[in-house]
PDB file of all heavy atoms in Angstrom:
ATOM      1  N   LYS A   1      -8.298  -7.794 -17.529  1.00  0.00           N
ATOM      2  CA  LYS A   1      -8.683  -8.270 -18.856  1.00  0.00           C
ATOM      3  C   LYS A   1     -10.132  -8.752 -18.845  1.00  0.00           C
ATOM      4  O   LYS A   1     -10.545  -9.498 -17.963  1.00  0.00           O
ATOM      5  CB  LYS A   1      -7.743  -9.384 -19.302  1.00  0.00           C
ATOM      6  CG  LYS A   1      -7.896  -9.789 -20.761  1.00  0.00           C
ATOM      7  CD  LYS A   1      -6.837 -10.813 -21.160  1.00  0.00           C
ATOM      8  CE  LYS A   1      -5.433 -10.253 -21.004  1.00  0.00           C
ATOM      9  NZ  LYS A   1      -4.392 -11.230 -21.434  1.00  0.00           N
ATOM     10  N   GLY A   2     -10.892  -8.296 -19.833  1.00  0.00           N
ATOM     11  CA  GLY A   2     -12.301  -8.633 -19.913  1.00  0.00           C
ATOM     12  C   GLY A   2     -13.200  -7.657 -19.205  1.00  0.00           C
ATOM     13  O   GLY A   2     -14.425  -7.693 -19.403  1.00  0.00           O
ATOM     14  N   ARG A   3     -12.640  -6.787 -18.366  1.00  0.00           N
ATOM     15  CA  ARG A   3     -13.417  -5.781 -17.650  1.00  0.00           C
ATOM     16  C   ARG A   3     -13.035  -4.360 -18.060  1.00  0.00           C
ATOM     17  O   ARG A   3     -13.905  -3.491 -18.156  1.00  0.00           O
ATOM     18  CB  ARG A   3     -13.238  -5.922 -16.142  1.00  0.00           C
ATOM     19  CG  ARG A   3     -13.725  -7.250 -15.580  1.00  0.00           C
ATOM     20  CD  ARG A   3     -13.706  -7.231 -14.054  1.00  0.00           C
ATOM     21  NE  ARG A   3     -12.358  -7.021 -13.525  1.00  0.00           N
ATOM     22  CZ  ARG A   3     -12.008  -6.001 -12.742  1.00  0.00           C
ATOM     23  NH1 ARG A   3     -12.913  -5.090 -12.384  1.00  0.00           N
ATOM     24  NH2 ARG A   3     -10.767  -5.896 -12.294  1.00  0.00           N
ATOM     25  N   PHE A   4     -11.750  -4.115 -18.264  1.00  0.00           N
ATOM     26  CA  PHE A   4     -11.251  -2.788 -18.626  1.00  0.00           C
ATOM     27  C   PHE A   4     -10.823  -2.789 -20.084  1.00  0.00           C
ATOM     28  O   PHE A   4     -10.325  -3.798 -20.596  1.00  0.00           O
ATOM     29  CB  PHE A   4     -10.043  -2.394 -17.780  1.00  0.00           C
ATOM     30  CG  PHE A   4     -10.314  -2.177 -16.312  1.00  0.00           C
ATOM     31  CD1 PHE A   4     -11.545  -2.468 -15.747  1.00  0.00           C
ATOM     32  CD2 PHE A   4      -9.308  -1.675 -15.493  1.00  0.00           C
ATOM     33  CE1 PHE A   4     -11.788  -2.269 -14.401  1.00  0.00           C
ATOM     34  CE2 PHE A   4      -9.533  -1.466 -14.150  1.00  0.00           C
ATOM     35  CZ  PHE A   4     -10.770  -1.762 -13.599  1.00  0.00           C
ATOM     36  N   THR A   5     -10.969  -1.643 -20.742  1.00  0.00           N
ATOM     37  CA  THR A   5     -10.550  -1.493 -22.124  1.00  0.00           C
ATOM     38  C   THR A   5      -9.892  -0.137 -22.324  1.00  0.00           C
ATOM     39  O   THR A   5     -10.485   0.896 -22.010  1.00  0.00           O
ATOM     40  CB  THR A   5     -11.736  -1.620 -23.091  1.00  0.00           C
ATOM     41  OG1 THR A   5     -12.395  -2.875 -22.902  1.00  0.00           O
ATOM     42  CG2 THR A   5     -11.242  -1.525 -24.534  1.00  0.00           C
ATOM     43  N   ILE A   6      -8.669  -0.143 -22.852  1.00  0.00           N
ATOM     44  CA  ILE A   6      -7.992   1.101 -23.174  1.00  0.00           C
ATOM     45  C   ILE A   6      -8.329   1.486 -24.610  1.00  0.00           C
ATOM     46  O   ILE A   6      -8.434   0.626 -25.490  1.00  0.00           O
ATOM     47  CB  ILE A   6      -6.466   0.990 -22.986  1.00  0.00           C
ATOM     48  CG1 ILE A   6      -5.811   2.373 -23.128  1.00  0.00           C
ATOM     49  CG2 ILE A   6      -5.853  -0.003 -23.962  1.00  0.00           C
ATOM     50  CD1 ILE A   6      -4.337   2.392 -22.753  1.00  0.00           C
ATOM     51  N   SER A   7      -8.523   2.769 -24.849  1.00  0.00           N
ATOM     52  CA  SER A   7      -8.786   3.277 -26.183  1.00  0.00           C
ATOM     53  C   SER A   7      -8.273   4.705 -26.262  1.00  0.00           C
ATOM     54  O   SER A   7      -7.825   5.263 -25.252  1.00  0.00           O
ATOM     55  CB  SER A   7     -10.283   3.216 -26.522  1.00  0.00           C
ATOM     56  OG  SER A   7     -11.034   4.050 -25.656  1.00  0.00           O
ATOM     57  N   GLY A   8      -8.329   5.288 -27.446  1.00  0.00           N
ATOM     58  CA  GLY A   8      -7.841   6.648 -27.570  1.00  0.00           C
ATOM     59  C   GLY A   8      -8.318   7.322 -28.834  1.00  0.00           C
ATOM     60  O   GLY A   8      -8.763   6.667 -29.784  1.00  0.00           O
ATOM     61  N   ASP A   9      -8.237   8.628 -28.836  1.00  0.00           N
ATOM     62  CA  ASP A   9      -8.578   9.457 -29.983  1.00  0.00           C
ATOM     63  C   ASP A   9      -7.423  10.422 -30.175  1.00  0.00           C
ATOM     64  O   ASP A   9      -7.310  11.417 -29.452  1.00  0.00           O
ATOM     65  CB  ASP A   9      -9.891  10.197 -29.729  1.00  0.00           C
ATOM     66  CG  ASP A   9     -10.371  10.967 -30.940  1.00  0.00           C
ATOM     67  OD1 ASP A   9      -9.562  11.240 -31.858  1.00  0.00           O
ATOM     68  OD2 ASP A   9     -11.564  11.310 -30.983  1.00  0.00           O
ATOM     69  N   THR A  10      -6.560  10.130 -31.141  1.00  0.00           N
ATOM     70  CA  THR A  10      -5.374  10.956 -31.344  1.00  0.00           C
ATOM     71  C   THR A  10      -5.731  12.357 -31.818  1.00  0.00           C
ATOM     72  O   THR A  10      -4.973  13.295 -31.577  1.00  0.00           O
ATOM     73  CB  THR A  10      -4.419  10.299 -32.353  1.00  0.00           C
ATOM     74  OG1 THR A  10      -5.099  10.069 -33.590  1.00  0.00           O
ATOM     75  CG2 THR A  10      -3.900   8.967 -31.817  1.00  0.00           C
ATOM     76  N   THR A  11      -6.872  12.514 -32.489  1.00  0.00           N
ATOM     77  CA  THR A  11      -7.283  13.843 -32.936  1.00  0.00           C
ATOM     78  C   THR A  11      -7.644  14.738 -31.760  1.00  0.00           C
ATOM     79  O   THR A  11      -7.570  15.963 -31.873  1.00  0.00           O
ATOM     80  CB  THR A  11      -8.470  13.770 -33.901  1.00  0.00           C
ATOM     81  OG1 THR A  11      -9.629  13.279 -33.223  1.00  0.00           O
ATOM     82  CG2 THR A  11      -8.152  12.851 -35.065  1.00  0.00           C
ATOM     83  N   LYS A  12      -8.042  14.137 -30.646  1.00  0.00           N
ATOM     84  CA  LYS A  12      -8.363  14.879 -29.427  1.00  0.00           C
ATOM     85  C   LYS A  12      -7.231  14.807 -28.405  1.00  0.00           C
ATOM     86  O   LYS A  12      -7.355  15.361 -27.313  1.00  0.00           O
ATOM     87  CB  LYS A  12      -9.645  14.344 -28.798  1.00  0.00           C
ATOM     88  CG  LYS A  12     -10.876  14.490 -29.668  1.00  0.00           C
ATOM     89  CD  LYS A  12     -12.099  13.927 -28.958  1.00  0.00           C
ATOM     90  CE  LYS A  12     -13.346  14.087 -29.809  1.00  0.00           C
ATOM     91  NZ  LYS A  12     -14.551  13.532 -29.131  1.00  0.00           N
ATOM     92  N   ASN A  13      -6.148  14.120 -28.760  1.00  0.00           N
ATOM     93  CA  ASN A  13      -5.015  13.936 -27.851  1.00  0.00           C
ATOM     94  C   ASN A  13      -5.468  13.356 -26.512  1.00  0.00           C
ATOM     95  O   ASN A  13      -4.980  13.757 -25.450  1.00  0.00           O
ATOM     96  CB  ASN A  13      -4.279  15.258 -27.626  1.00  0.00           C
ATOM     97  CG  ASN A  13      -3.653  15.797 -28.889  1.00  0.00           C
ATOM     98  OD1 ASN A  13      -3.012  15.055 -29.627  1.00  0.00           O
ATOM     99  ND2 ASN A  13      -3.834  17.086 -29.134  1.00  0.00           N
ATOM    100  N   THR A  14      -6.385  12.398 -26.574  1.00  0.00           N
ATOM    101  CA  THR A  14      -6.986  11.853 -25.365  1.00  0.00           C
ATOM    102  C   THR A  14      -7.005  10.331 -25.384  1.00  0.00           C
ATOM    103  O   THR A  14      -7.415   9.727 -26.374  1.00  0.00           O
ATOM    104  CB  THR A  14      -8.419  12.373 -25.185  1.00  0.00           C
ATOM    105  OG1 THR A  14      -8.406  13.804 -25.101  1.00  0.00           O
ATOM    106  CG2 THR A  14      -9.037  11.811 -23.916  1.00  0.00           C
ATOM    107  N   ALA A  15      -6.565   9.734 -24.279  1.00  0.00           N
ATOM    108  CA  ALA A  15      -6.670   8.301 -24.068  1.00  0.00           C
ATOM    109  C   ALA A  15      -7.753   8.041 -23.031  1.00  0.00           C
ATOM    110  O   ALA A  15      -8.014   8.878 -22.159  1.00  0.00           O
ATOM    111  CB  ALA A  15      -5.344   7.718 -23.601  1.00  0.00           C
ATOM    112  N   TYR A  16      -8.382   6.870 -23.122  1.00  0.00           N
ATOM    113  CA  TYR A  16      -9.471   6.518 -22.225  1.00  0.00           C
ATOM    114  C   TYR A  16      -9.217   5.162 -21.582  1.00  0.00           C
ATOM    115  O   TYR A  16      -8.493   4.326 -22.119  1.00  0.00           O
ATOM    116  CB  TYR A  16     -10.809   6.450 -22.970  1.00  0.00           C
ATOM    117  CG  TYR A  16     -11.163   7.695 -23.732  1.00  0.00           C
ATOM    118  CD1 TYR A  16     -10.885   7.800 -25.097  1.00  0.00           C
ATOM    119  CD2 TYR A  16     -11.766   8.772 -23.100  1.00  0.00           C
ATOM    120  CE1 TYR A  16     -11.210   8.944 -25.798  1.00  0.00           C
ATOM    121  CE2 TYR A  16     -12.092   9.921 -23.796  1.00  0.00           C
ATOM    122  CZ  TYR A  16     -11.814  10.001 -25.148  1.00  0.00           C
ATOM    123  OH  TYR A  16     -12.141  11.143 -25.837  1.00  0.00           O
ATOM    124  N   LEU A  17      -9.819   4.957 -20.429  1.00  0.00           N
ATOM    125  CA  LEU A  17      -9.848   3.648 -19.799  1.00  0.00           C
ATOM    126  C   LEU A  17     -11.281   3.389 -19.359  1.00  0.00           C
ATOM    127  O   LEU A  17     -11.759   4.000 -18.400  1.00  0.00           O
ATOM    128  CB  LEU A  17      -8.907   3.566 -18.598  1.00  0.00           C
ATOM    129  CG  LEU A  17      -8.821   2.188 -17.939  1.00  0.00           C
ATOM    130  CD1 LEU A  17      -8.146   1.189 -18.882  1.00  0.00           C
ATOM    131  CD2 LEU A  17      -8.070   2.260 -16.613  1.00  0.00           C
ATOM    132  N   GLN A  18     -11.973   2.511 -20.088  1.00  0.00           N
ATOM    133  CA  GLN A  18     -13.324   2.120 -19.724  1.00  0.00           C
ATOM    134  C   GLN A  18     -13.235   0.990 -18.707  1.00  0.00           C
ATOM    135  O   GLN A  18     -12.641  -0.050 -18.982  1.00  0.00           O
ATOM    136  CB  GLN A  18     -14.106   1.660 -20.953  1.00  0.00           C
ATOM    137  CG  GLN A  18     -15.525   1.208 -20.658  1.00  0.00           C
ATOM    138  CD  GLN A  18     -16.408   2.326 -20.166  1.00  0.00           C
ATOM    139  OE1 GLN A  18     -16.396   3.421 -20.733  1.00  0.00           O
ATOM    140  NE2 GLN A  18     -17.166   2.080 -19.104  1.00  0.00           N
ATOM    141  N   MET A  19     -13.822   1.188 -17.536  1.00  0.00           N
ATOM    142  CA  MET A  19     -13.750   0.223 -16.447  1.00  0.00           C
ATOM    143  C   MET A  19     -15.157  -0.258 -16.123  1.00  0.00           C
ATOM    144  O   MET A  19     -16.010   0.530 -15.704  1.00  0.00           O
ATOM    145  CB  MET A  19     -13.102   0.845 -15.211  1.00  0.00           C
ATOM    146  CG  MET A  19     -11.725   1.443 -15.476  1.00  0.00           C
ATOM    147  SD  MET A  19     -10.917   2.030 -13.961  1.00  0.00           S
ATOM    148  CE  MET A  19     -12.021   3.383 -13.523  1.00  0.00           C
ATOM    149  N   ASN A  20     -15.400  -1.546 -16.314  1.00  0.00           N
ATOM    150  CA  ASN A  20     -16.690  -2.159 -16.030  1.00  0.00           C
ATOM    151  C   ASN A  20     -16.548  -3.180 -14.909  1.00  0.00           C
ATOM    152  O   ASN A  20     -15.461  -3.663 -14.613  1.00  0.00           O
ATOM    153  CB  ASN A  20     -17.252  -2.836 -17.278  1.00  0.00           C
ATOM    154  CG  ASN A  20     -17.500  -1.876 -18.418  1.00  0.00           C
ATOM    155  OD1 ASN A  20     -17.878  -0.722 -18.204  1.00  0.00           O
ATOM    156  ND2 ASN A  20     -17.306  -2.346 -19.649  1.00  0.00           N
ATOM    157  N   ALA A  21     -17.674  -3.535 -14.305  1.00  0.00           N
ATOM    158  CA  ALA A  21     -17.715  -4.551 -13.254  1.00  0.00           C
ATOM    159  C   ALA A  21     -16.666  -4.279 -12.180  1.00  0.00           C
ATOM    160  O   ALA A  21     -15.916  -5.171 -11.785  1.00  0.00           O
ATOM    161  CB  ALA A  21     -17.529  -5.936 -13.862  1.00  0.00           C
ATOM    162  N   LEU A  22     -16.623  -3.057 -11.709  1.00  0.00           N
ATOM    163  CA  LEU A  22     -15.625  -2.660 -10.728  1.00  0.00           C
ATOM    164  C   LEU A  22     -15.815  -3.394  -9.403  1.00  0.00           C
ATOM    165  O   LEU A  22     -16.939  -3.683  -8.994  1.00  0.00           O
ATOM    166  CB  LEU A  22     -15.691  -1.156 -10.498  1.00  0.00           C
ATOM    167  CG  LEU A  22     -15.112  -0.310 -11.637  1.00  0.00           C
ATOM    168  CD1 LEU A  22     -15.610   1.120 -11.547  1.00  0.00           C
ATOM    169  CD2 LEU A  22     -13.583  -0.352 -11.589  1.00  0.00           C
ATOM    170  N   THR A  23     -14.703  -3.688  -8.753  1.00  0.00           N
ATOM    171  CA  THR A  23     -14.691  -4.336  -7.442  1.00  0.00           C
ATOM    172  C   THR A  23     -13.862  -3.496  -6.486  1.00  0.00           C
ATOM    173  O   THR A  23     -13.083  -2.637  -6.910  1.00  0.00           O
ATOM    174  CB  THR A  23     -14.089  -5.747  -7.527  1.00  0.00           C
ATOM    175  OG1 THR A  23     -12.667  -5.661  -7.701  1.00  0.00           O
ATOM    176  CG2 THR A  23     -14.687  -6.530  -8.681  1.00  0.00           C
ATOM    177  N   PRO A  24     -14.005  -3.718  -5.173  1.00  0.00           N
ATOM    178  CA  PRO A  24     -13.181  -2.971  -4.217  1.00  0.00           C
ATOM    179  C   PRO A  24     -11.683  -3.108  -4.462  1.00  0.00           C
ATOM    180  O   PRO A  24     -10.924  -2.200  -4.122  1.00  0.00           O
ATOM    181  CB  PRO A  24     -13.590  -3.568  -2.865  1.00  0.00           C
ATOM    182  CG  PRO A  24     -14.998  -3.997  -3.075  1.00  0.00           C
ATOM    183  CD  PRO A  24     -15.030  -4.523  -4.484  1.00  0.00           C
ATOM    184  N   GLU A  25     -11.261  -4.222  -5.048  1.00  0.00           N
ATOM    185  CA  GLU A  25      -9.845  -4.427  -5.348  1.00  0.00           C
ATOM    186  C   GLU A  25      -9.337  -3.483  -6.427  1.00  0.00           C
ATOM    187  O   GLU A  25      -8.123  -3.360  -6.621  1.00  0.00           O
ATOM    188  CB  GLU A  25      -9.590  -5.879  -5.760  1.00  0.00           C
ATOM    189  CG  GLU A  25      -9.682  -6.889  -4.615  1.00  0.00           C
ATOM    190  CD  GLU A  25     -11.093  -7.047  -4.085  1.00  0.00           C
ATOM    191  OE1 GLU A  25     -12.041  -7.085  -4.907  1.00  0.00           O
ATOM    192  OE2 GLU A  25     -11.255  -7.137  -2.858  1.00  0.00           O
ATOM    193  N   ASP A  26     -10.236  -2.827  -7.148  1.00  0.00           N
ATOM    194  CA  ASP A  26      -9.848  -1.852  -8.159  1.00  0.00           C
ATOM    195  C   ASP A  26      -9.599  -0.472  -7.564  1.00  0.00           C
ATOM    196  O   ASP A  26      -9.189   0.441  -8.285  1.00  0.00           O
ATOM    197  CB  ASP A  26     -10.921  -1.748  -9.245  1.00  0.00           C
ATOM    198  CG  ASP A  26     -11.094  -3.036 -10.022  1.00  0.00           C
ATOM    199  OD1 ASP A  26     -10.070  -3.660 -10.378  1.00  0.00           O
ATOM    200  OD2 ASP A  26     -12.252  -3.417 -10.276  1.00  0.00           O
ATOM    201  N   THR A  27      -9.863  -0.300  -6.280  1.00  0.00           N
ATOM    202  CA  THR A  27      -9.636   0.983  -5.621  1.00  0.00           C
ATOM    203  C   THR A  27      -8.156   1.342  -5.678  1.00  0.00           C
ATOM    204  O   THR A  27      -7.303   0.575  -5.226  1.00  0.00           O
ATOM    205  CB  THR A  27     -10.108   0.941  -4.170  1.00  0.00           C
ATOM    206  OG1 THR A  27     -11.527   0.755  -4.135  1.00  0.00           O
ATOM    207  CG2 THR A  27      -9.762   2.237  -3.452  1.00  0.00           C
ATOM    208  N   ALA A  28      -7.851   2.502  -6.244  1.00  0.00           N
ATOM    209  CA  ALA A  28      -6.462   2.920  -6.420  1.00  0.00           C
ATOM    210  C   ALA A  28      -6.432   4.315  -7.020  1.00  0.00           C
ATOM    211  O   ALA A  28      -7.461   4.847  -7.461  1.00  0.00           O
ATOM    212  CB  ALA A  28      -5.717   1.950  -7.343  1.00  0.00           C
ATOM    213  N   ILE A  29      -5.247   4.891  -7.041  1.00  0.00           N
ATOM    214  CA  ILE A  29      -5.013   6.080  -7.840  1.00  0.00           C
ATOM    215  C   ILE A  29      -4.591   5.603  -9.218  1.00  0.00           C
ATOM    216  O   ILE A  29      -3.665   4.792  -9.339  1.00  0.00           O
ATOM    217  CB  ILE A  29      -3.927   6.991  -7.234  1.00  0.00           C
ATOM    218  CG1 ILE A  29      -4.321   7.425  -5.831  1.00  0.00           C
ATOM    219  CG2 ILE A  29      -3.707   8.211  -8.117  1.00  0.00           C
ATOM    220  CD1 ILE A  29      -3.250   8.234  -5.120  1.00  0.00           C
ATOM    221  N   TYR A  30      -5.261   6.082 -10.234  1.00  0.00           N
ATOM    222  CA  TYR A  30      -4.974   5.677 -11.599  1.00  0.00           C
ATOM    223  C   TYR A  30      -4.166   6.765 -12.292  1.00  0.00           C
ATOM    224  O   TYR A  30      -4.548   7.938 -12.280  1.00  0.00           O
ATOM    225  CB  TYR A  30      -6.272   5.401 -12.360  1.00  0.00           C
ATOM    226  CG  TYR A  30      -6.885   4.073 -11.983  1.00  0.00           C
ATOM    227  CD1 TYR A  30      -7.494   3.902 -10.747  1.00  0.00           C
ATOM    228  CD2 TYR A  30      -6.834   2.991 -12.854  1.00  0.00           C
ATOM    229  CE1 TYR A  30      -8.031   2.675 -10.379  1.00  0.00           C
ATOM    230  CE2 TYR A  30      -7.372   1.769 -12.500  1.00  0.00           C
ATOM    231  CZ  TYR A  30      -7.968   1.615 -11.263  1.00  0.00           C
ATOM    232  OH  TYR A  30      -8.502   0.399 -10.907  1.00  0.00           O
ATOM    233  N   TYR A  31      -3.051   6.364 -12.893  1.00  0.00           N
ATOM    234  CA  TYR A  31      -2.130   7.284 -13.535  1.00  0.00           C
ATOM    235  C   TYR A  31      -2.070   7.044 -15.034  1.00  0.00           C
ATOM    236  O   TYR A  31      -1.994   5.897 -15.481  1.00  0.00           O
ATOM    237  CB  TYR A  31      -0.717   7.125 -12.976  1.00  0.00           C
ATOM    238  CG  TYR A  31      -0.573   7.461 -11.514  1.00  0.00           C
ATOM    239  CD1 TYR A  31      -0.715   6.484 -10.539  1.00  0.00           C
ATOM    240  CD2 TYR A  31      -0.276   8.757 -11.114  1.00  0.00           C
ATOM    241  CE1 TYR A  31      -0.575   6.785  -9.198  1.00  0.00           C
ATOM    242  CE2 TYR A  31      -0.129   9.069  -9.776  1.00  0.00           C
ATOM    243  CZ  TYR A  31      -0.279   8.080  -8.824  1.00  0.00           C
ATOM    244  OH  TYR A  31      -0.130   8.386  -7.496  1.00  0.00           O
ATOM    245  N   CYS A  32      -2.059   8.113 -15.785  1.00  0.00           N
ATOM    246  CA  CYS A  32      -1.824   8.060 -17.214  1.00  0.00           C
ATOM    247  C   CYS A  32      -0.332   8.233 -17.464  1.00  0.00           C
ATOM    248  O   CYS A  32       0.344   8.968 -16.739  1.00  0.00           O
ATOM    249  CB  CYS A  32      -2.615   9.169 -17.906  1.00  0.00           C
ATOM    250  SG  CYS A  32      -2.376   9.289 -19.686  1.00  0.00           S
ATOM    251  N   ALA A  33       0.193   7.553 -18.463  1.00  0.00           N
ATOM    252  CA  ALA A  33       1.605   7.656 -18.795  1.00  0.00           C
ATOM    253  C   ALA A  33       1.795   7.661 -20.305  1.00  0.00           C
ATOM    254  O   ALA A  33       1.004   7.077 -21.040  1.00  0.00           O
ATOM    255  CB  ALA A  33       2.390   6.495 -18.174  1.00  0.00           C
TER     256      ALA A  33
END
């Protein structure tokens, strides 16, 4: 919270995850659901 923001464009059938101020603890495989 405060670093990542989820958003989407239904006309493009696309969701986004904007990730700012990344840290090593954010290292992972990211999955869409």
Side-chain angles (χ1 to χ4, degrees):
K1 190 175 299 182
R3 298 188 299 121
F4 293 7
T5 303
I6 189 171
S7 63
D9 186 341
T10 57
T11 66
K12 298 180 179 180
N13 296 314
T14 301
Y16 305 96
L17 184 68
Q18 179 66 45
M19 305 185 294
N20 298 325
L22 286 162
T23 73
E25 288 68 41
D26 296 317
T27 295
I29 301 175
Y30 283 72
Y31 296 91
C32 177

